[in-house]
Amino acid sequence: MAQADDGTGLPASLATAWGLRERPSRGPKPTLSLDRIVDEAVAIAAADGVEAVSMPRVAKALGVSTMSLYRYVGAKGELLILMQEAATPPAPVLDPAASWRASMERWAREQRKIFYANLWLLRIPLTGPPATPRQVEWMECGLSALADTGLAEEAKLSVLMLVGGYVRNEAAVMSSIDAAIRESGRTPDEHLREYARTLSVLTTPERHPGVTRVLDSGVLQGADGEDDEFEFGLACVLDGVAALIERGGGS
Amino acid sequence: MAQADDGTGLPASLATAWGLRERPSRGPKPTLSLDRIVDEAVAIAAADGVEAVSMPRVAKALGVSTMSLYRYVGAKGELLILMQEAATPPAPVLDPAASWRASMERWAREQRKIFYANLWLLRIPLTGPPATPRQVEWMECGLSALADTGLAEEAKLSVLMLVGGYVRNEAAVMSSIDAAIRESGRTPDEHLREYARTLSVLTTPERHPGVTRVLDSGVLQGADGEDDEFEFGLACVLDGVAALIERGGGS
DNA sequence: CAGTAATGCGTAAGCCATACGCAGAAGCCG
DNA sequence: CGGCTTCTGCGTATGGCTTACGCATTACTG
């Protein structure tokens, strides 16, 4: 009755991701493999965005019919999860001698690198708390960075969510800008300038003194210093975490 | 040639949101109004999630044909933007005498309240930097909270993105959990417990010492204290901002 | 060498967004 | 007041999407 009995009561997509399902050895040889499907889907997403990933398109790229894919994947959502998993490299091995702060910085920066290399990742809606192998691996990695801080377990989770959320959010904004740019065919610099112009048309110094000041300051004129802005925010977040740790950590 | 000339070069959806487009007075009286359409769409999203919002469904709920809607809305994406706008109340008027920290706390909490009251909001993918009236209004509000901090304009923007991103991210996680719960028909508590059980099946103490410790600590047993967790993270973020301000603010 | 189970895939049902064009209604101008 | 213009609602149609189902075919297993 229920789905393939893999011992756990896991949803099929997770079971697949954890490699708990074995292919049977009975029928004809499969023409494809899960890996080839996922790789192709990732390639399409990288080239044209996630919204371009459809079962017909993936199948066509692989030279098979649409429905063949469903012999490997239970549903499209499953494919999306597997794509995320495939695009996420293993978590780094942190230097145990390094300070928690250096470790968290590395954790954050490496995650950011992944997002920037796969901006389509951020266009996949969240499906729930982290439960795929790589997600758990990164979680473990983050926890290990905080192991010696004396924080309560609950606080560690909160810190990870805080820092991870910051990274994700910053990248998501970039990703949305990237998607908008891709659609409009402008360059990033044009886009920012266009945005500044739009804002200046819509706002008035009386009703929007703060926004006007920002516009006048010329901050929105050049798209340089993305990294600086990220590091700025990261430092800010970690300062907050440091304050928490010094205070003696959340009981 | 180009779209309706509203003076600015704005995309149609924004022009509509800012009320820059007037309905002509020539033909027959419209049966509907933009407001009624948006309200109905919001009601559907609140009841069944954004993915349930389709043009046919909205039209049916209003008792008109599908294509009638396109007399009021240029495309579905436009409707989604208008829905966001409709669900966002005006930004609060901050007490000018309050400290920046108290003001930012209020700013963050009120935003969180909006998200929690409209969890479907977080399932709409970001479309770009804030450019609708309400978004600009909230941005102005946030800037006013930071007016007396001595921060550089650029730093103010970063802080808003930091705090706003934190709020958004925390709510987005809640929203994804909500969506998962809605789909599976479980209660929130069951869901969390199920998650803990899944994790404990998939992890081993050797490979995942940190995760194991978290599981053993029983943190994932009760779903209470959402607010506490939010306040915890917010305090952390604002501590970081405070450190920045005391340091003399980002030149 | 059966039998059985797994394969690829065709068909089709039921969603969706939206381009286009037409009949008729409401305002405007002479 | 008559005609022209403009705008309305909506029917039709196209081309996308996901995915349920069933069929012929293939290759292991006993």
Side-chain angles (χ1 to χ4, degrees), chain A residues 29 73-74 94 109 211:
Chain A
K29 285 178 191 166
V73 162
L94 298 178
R109 292 195 192 111
V211 174

Side-chain angles (χ1 to χ4, degrees), chain B residues 124-174:
Chain B
I124 301 180
L126 287 178
T127 34
T132 59
R134 283 285 148 79
Q135 282 177 334
V136 172
E137 192 182 324
W138 278 88
M139 183 170 155
E140 176 65 39
C141 176
L143 285 172
S144 79
L146 297 173
D148 296 334
T149 53
L151 290 176
E153 297 302 323
E154 190 171 4
K156 286 183 197 166
L157 277 191
S158 294
V159 169
L160 287 191
M161 180 156 154
L162 180 60
V163 179
Y166 169 66
V167 174
R168 186 183 174 87
N169 190 69
E170 197 260 357
V173 170
M174 283 305 154

